[in-house]
Amino acid sequence: MSQIDTLRPDKRPTLLQRWGRFWVRTVGDTGILGFGLRWGVLLLFAAYFFIPMLWLVLATSKSAPQLLELPPLAFGSFQRIQEAWQRIIEYQNGEVLQWAFNSIRYTAFGLALSLACCIPAGYILAIARFPGRRLLLWLTLITMLLPPSALVLPMFMELNLVHLINTPWSVILPAAFFPFGTYLTYIYYASSLPRDLLDAARVDGCSEVKLFRHIALPLATPLLGLLAFINFNTNWNNFFGPYVFLNDDRLFNLPVGLQQFVAATSALRPGFNPSPGVMVGYQQAEIAVFGLLMIVPVAIVFLIAQRYVVGGAFTGSIKG
Amino acid sequence: MTNQMASLPLPPLTNKPRTSRLSRWRRHGVSYLFVLPYFLVMLAFGLGPGLYALLLSFADFSTGLPKYFGAGFSNYLAVFKEFRFTFTFANIGKFLAISVPLGIAMVIILAILLQMRPGRLTTALRTLYFISGAVTGPILVLVVIFMLDPSISPFQALLKGMGFKLTNDVIYPGSLPIIFTLMGFFAGAGMWIAIQYGALEAISTEVLEAATMDGCNAWQKVLHIKLPLIRPYIIYQFILIFAGNVQLFVEPQILGGGNNLGVGGNVPTVWSPNQLAYNFAFEMGNFGATSALSLILLVIGLGAAYLIIRWTGFFKIED
C-alpha cells in the first residue's frame, strides 16, 4: 500500500484504525486507569447534581401516596400537575402570584439601580485620576469580599431608623449597592478601553458624559451580561434580607413566600397530624411546583450566562 | 497650560490656593459626579450599617429604646456569656472544617477532570453542574429534606443500605455540618467549577505543549503545571467560601424553623452564630447584643477580606 493510498479521504479507515483514533481522542495521555477514574468521578457527580433536579420535576406529577408507592423517578400523571398548579394559584387568593410579581419587581428595580450606580463609577475609576480614588477602590475591594448576609442585621437597625422597614424599598435600595459590579467594571475598562480613543474624542470636543454614553457603554456588552447575571441571581434568590425586613406577607418575594407556605400548610408532611392552625390538603407536589416557579427563570438565565462566567471575565479580575 | 502660565505675570500669592482648588474642583467635578451615586449607596448600605451597628453595640436597650453609649461593653459580655455562644461557634467551626476543604478540593478536581480533555460530553456535564446553582435558598433546603427521606428519596437504596429508616435517622445534630456541606456544594459548586475551568483554559498552550514534548503525561501536567498556575484562584475561592460560610443562616433557619417540617425536633432552632444574632434581636429584643455579635462576624469576614488583599496582593489597583 502506497503512502498516497492511506491519505485518500474516500478510503474508509480499518476498524483497528478507527479504534486507535477513538482511543487517542477519548483516553489520550491519561492512561486506561485514569480514563476510568476520570469518567467515574464525573458521572458520579453528574448523578449528584442531576437526580435531585429530575426528582423535583417528576414530583410535581405525583400525589403523596404515589410518592411513597411509585419508584422515586417514575412519572405520576399530568392531572396531578394541573391540580398542584391550581392549588398553588388558589393559595390565599392568589398570594403566590403576588409573591412572583414582587420577586420580579424587586429584582428588576435592584438590577437597574445597581447597574446605574456601579457602571459609571467603575468607568470613571478606570479612566480618571482624582483625589479619593484609591480610597474608593479599597473600600470597594473590602466590601466586595464581605458576604451580603453579614450586613443584614445591622442594616435592619439602620432601615428601622429611617422607617423603611416593611416597605418594598427595604429590599430594593440595599440591592443598589453592588461593589463587585463596580470592581469588574473598573477592571474591564482599565484593561480594554484604549485611552487614545478617549483622548481623540476629547480633542474633537466630546464631553465626558457623551464619551461615556457613545464610546464606553457600547463597548461593555459582555460586561453587562455578566453583571446582570450575578445581580439577577443574587436579587432573585434574596432570602435573608426580605425575611428580616418585611413582615407583611403581601410584600414577600418568592423565597420568603415559599418558607411561609411550607410553615403554614401540610405540604411537606401530608400524612402527619399537623399542629393546630396548619392548612391541610396540601401535598409535596405543590412544593415542587412552587420550587420550579422559582428555579426555572434562574435556570434559563444560567444557561445564557454560562459563557460569560467561563469566558474569564471573573478570572481577568485577578492577577494570574 | 503650564507654558501659558509661565508667560503670564504671576498672580498675587494669596489668590493661588483658591484658584488651584477651584480649577482642581472643575477638573475633577465630572469624575465626582460619576462616582456620586455609587458612593452614596456605599455609604448607605455598605459602610452605614457597619458604623451604625458599632454605635448600637455600645447602646443600652433595656428600656426598649436605645440609650447610646449607655451599655459600655456589656453587650459584648452578654454575647460571650450567652450559653449558646460556644455551641453556635463550635457548630460553625465544624461546618467550616468540613465544607471549606472538601468543597474546594472537589471543585478543583471536577474542573480539572472536565478541562483535561474537553469535548461535547464534558461541556454538557459542566452545564449540568452549573445549572444546579439555580436550586438554592429555601427550595434547596426542601429538596434536600426530600432527598434525605428514606421513604421517598431517589437515593433510598443508598440510605436504606446505610441503615436509615426515617428522616430523623439521617438528619440529627451530629450530621448537620455534613448536610449543610452537601447543600452548599449542590448550590455553589457549579459556579466555582465554571470559574476554575475558565482559569484552566487561560493557561498558555505553549507551556502545556512543551511539557508534553518533555514526556509529561496528563496527570503530571495537572500536578506540576496546572495546579501551581491556578493557585491564586484557589486562594480567592478559599476566602470567599470561608467568609460566606461563616455567615450561614438560611439553611439552619429553615431546617430548624417549622414544627411541621418533620425534622424540627431534631434540629436546634438556633444552630449558627448568625441565627443567634437574629435571635438576640427578634426573640430577646436585645439589639445591642445583635449588633455586637454581627460586628464580631463582620470582623471575621473583614479579616478574611483584608488577608486576601494584603497577603496575596492579587487584586489589581492600577495607578
Side-chain angles (χ1 to χ4, degrees):
Chain A
M1 204 192 292
S2 76
Q3 274 269 277
I4 311 283
D5 274 356
T6 52
L7 290 176
R8 260 167 52 192
D10 56 346
K11 188 171 164 61
R12 283 172 59 82
T14 65
L15 192 65
L16 196 68
Q17 278 172 324
R18 283 191 3 229
W19 254 106
R21 276 182 213 165
F22 176 74
W23 185 257
V24 169
R25 225 178 29 236
T26 50
V27 181
D29 52 355
T30 55
I32 180 70
L33 194 71
F35 173 80
L37 201 68
R38 171 166 181 256
W39 281 105
V41 172
L42 286 178
L43 293 175
L44 189 75
F45 276 90
Y48 173 79
F49 287 111
F50 182 63
I51 290 177
M53 288 192 282
L54 178 66
W55 183 89
L56 190 68
V57 173
L58 290 170
T60 58
S61 71
K62 284 183 270 193
S63 64
Q66 280 176 324
L67 272 178
L68 291 168
E69 286 153 17
L70 292 177
L73 295 179
F75 183 79
S77 67
F78 283 108
Q79 196 202 343
R80 182 66 206 124
I81 301 181
Q82 220 229 319
E83 273 170 28
W85 173 251
Q86 205 62 35
R87 300 219 62 158
I88 282 292
I89 297 295
E90 282 163 8
Y91 174 75
Q92 304 272 42
N93 298 322
E95 196 158 49
V96 176
L97 292 182
Q98 174 72 36
W99 293 338
F101 171 68
N102 290 340
S103 267
I104 295 169
R105 189 161 61 134
Y106 300 159
T107 306
F109 274 102
L111 185 68
L113 272 181
S114 67
L115 293 187
C117 291
C118 81
I119 290 182
Y123 163 77
I124 212 76
L125 285 168
I127 65 145
R129 301 288 174 270
F130 52 92
R133 172 178 168 274
R134 278 191 77 86
L135 177 70
L136 205 55
L137 276 172
W138 267 100
L139 289 175
T140 301
L141 276 183
I142 291 173
T143 42
M144 144 188 143
L145 293 174
L146 211 61
S149 52
L151 292 174
V152 167
L153 291 172
M155 214 182 290
F156 171 83
M157 324 278 189
E158 192 194 50
L159 291 167
N160 196 26
L161 192 72
V162 290
H163 303 292
L164 282 179
I165 289 300
N166 204 26
T167 65
W169 295 111
S170 65
V171 180
I172 294 168
L173 288 178
F177 180 50
F178 183 28
F180 193 50
T182 303
Y183 181 70
L184 279 184
T185 313
Y186 158 71
I187 289 297
Y188 184 82
Y189 283 125
S191 55
S192 72
L193 188 63
R195 218 57 68 80
D196 298 346
L197 189 69
L198 294 180
D199 286 341
R202 276 197 200 105
V203 169
D204 290 346
C206 201
S207 75
E208 293 295 324
V209 179
K210 272 191 183 154
L211 228 78
F212 174 66
R213 264 193 50 197
H214 298 297
I215 298 178
L217 262 191
L219 284 174
T221 327
L223 174 78
L224 283 174
L226 182 65
L227 293 186
F229 161 68
I230 303 170
N231 201 267
F232 171 87
N233 197 21
T234 320
N235 292 346
W236 184 263
N237 292 318
N238 193 2
F239 177 84
F240 198 6
Y243 180 73
V244 175
F245 304 151
L246 305 172
N247 30 45
D248 178 0
D249 54 1
R250 303 287 299 174
L251 290 176
F252 288 174
N253 64 357
L254 283 172
V256 181
L258 174 66
Q259 191 267 345
Q260 151 103 356
F261 172 78
V262 172
T265 69
S266 62
L268 194 62
R269 300 277 146 188
F272 285 68
N273 256 347
S275 352
V278 168
M279 287 176 253
V280 291
Y282 291 90
Q283 304 182 5
Q284 293 97 333
E286 277 86 306
I287 294 181
V289 167
F290 199 136
L292 288 183
L293 203 62
M294 281 167 59
I295 293 166
V296 169
V298 191
I300 293 169
V301 173
F302 264 62
L303 269 183
I304 301 168
Q306 188 188 192
R307 62 198 170 106
Y308 297 121
V309 179
V310 183
F314 270 112
T315 45
S317 65
I318 302 172
K319 282 180 200 158
Chain B
M1 183 104 171
T2 36
N3 282 342
Q4 267 183 340
M5 294 278 274
S7 63
L8 293 171
L10 280 173
L13 209 63
T14 43
N15 275 356
K16 214 179 166 187
R18 210 184 62 194
T19 46
S20 76
R21 199 177 297 159
L22 198 78
S23 75
R24 197 198 299 161
W25 185 238
R26 201 171 288 155
R27 193 148 44 93
H28 297 308
V30 181
S31 300
Y32 288 128
L33 217 61
F34 269 78
V35 293
L36 185 68
Y38 173 67
F39 183 65
L40 288 180
V41 291
M42 174 187 262
L43 270 189
F45 305 110
L47 307 175
L51 293 176
Y52 189 52
L54 186 65
L55 180 67
L56 287 186
S57 72
F58 295 106
D60 179 23
F61 278 86
S62 50
T63 56
L65 286 170
K67 214 169 89 198
Y68 295 111
F69 304 108
F73 282 93
S74 65
N75 287 325
Y76 288 90
L77 279 179
V79 169
F80 290 124
K81 277 193 206 142
E82 162 68 33
F83 71 103
R84 286 168 298 189
F85 178 80
T86 357
F87 173 68
T88 54
F89 272 84
N91 287 338
I92 208 78
K94 276 180 230 158
F95 169 61
L96 288 171
I98 297 172
S99 65
V100 175
L102 208 66
I104 292 176
M106 285 327 297
V107 161
I108 303 295
I109 289 173
L110 288 174
I112 282 176
L113 291 181
L114 280 177
Q115 195 267 342
M116 217 168 192
R117 297 188 69 75
R120 238 172 292 164
L121 189 55
T122 51
T123 309
L125 282 180
R126 197 190 65 213
T127 305
L128 175 67
Y129 299 162
F130 189 68
I131 214 141
S132 66
V135 186
T136 180
I139 186 65
L140 173 66
V141 179
L142 296 171
V143 169
V144 168
I145 294 176
F146 291 134
M147 292 304 112
L148 297 179
D149 181 343
S151 64
I152 60 173
S153 166
F155 300 104
Q156 58 185 204
L158 187 72
L159 292 170
K160 284 179 179 162
M162 288 161 86
F164 301 124
K165 287 191 186 69
L166 301 166
T167 311
N168 277 359
D169 299 339
V170 191
I171 304 179
Y172 60 95
S175 71
L176 288 176
I178 298 167
I179 288 168
F180 295 137
T181 300
L182 289 175
M183 287 183 189
F185 191 75
F186 187 87
M191 172 76 100
W192 280 109
I193 290 171
I195 293 173
Q196 300 290 9
Y197 188 96
L200 288 165
E201 287 279 273
I203 295 176
S204 105
T205 43
E206 280 170 32
V207 178
L208 293 172
E209 273 164 19
T212 315
M213 300 283 254
D214 289 346
C216 255
N217 69 25
W219 304 104
Q220 286 165 328
K221 271 186 268 181
V222 167
L223 217 59
H224 299 296
I225 298 173
K226 289 181 181 174
L227 274 180
L229 281 178
I230 62 164
R231 190 176 150 267
Y233 311 106
I234 301 177
I235 299 174
Y236 177 54
Q237 186 191 358
F238 173 84
I239 303 289
L240 277 193
I241 294 215
F242 178 85
N245 284 4
V246 168
Q247 303 284 340
L248 187 76
F249 177 82
V250 180
E251 290 82 0
Q253 182 74 7
I254 293 178
L255 208 54
N259 300 327
N260 56 336
L261 291 194
V263 291
N266 239 1
V267 180
T269 43
V270 174
W271 193 84
S272 77
N274 228 340
Q275 281 182 290
L276 183 60
Y278 178 85
N279 195 267
F280 270 125
F282 297 100
E283 305 291 327
M284 300 186 251
N286 188 350
F287 287 90
T290 298
S291 303
L293 183 48
S294 293
L295 278 177
I296 294 171
L297 291 170
L298 205 63
V299 166
I300 296 174
L302 276 177
Y306 184 76
L307 276 185
I308 192 178
I309 299 167
R310 261 284 113 108
W311 178 45
T312 63
F314 57 51
F315 282 99
K316 294 173 190 164
I317 292 188
E318 289 162 25
D319 282 303

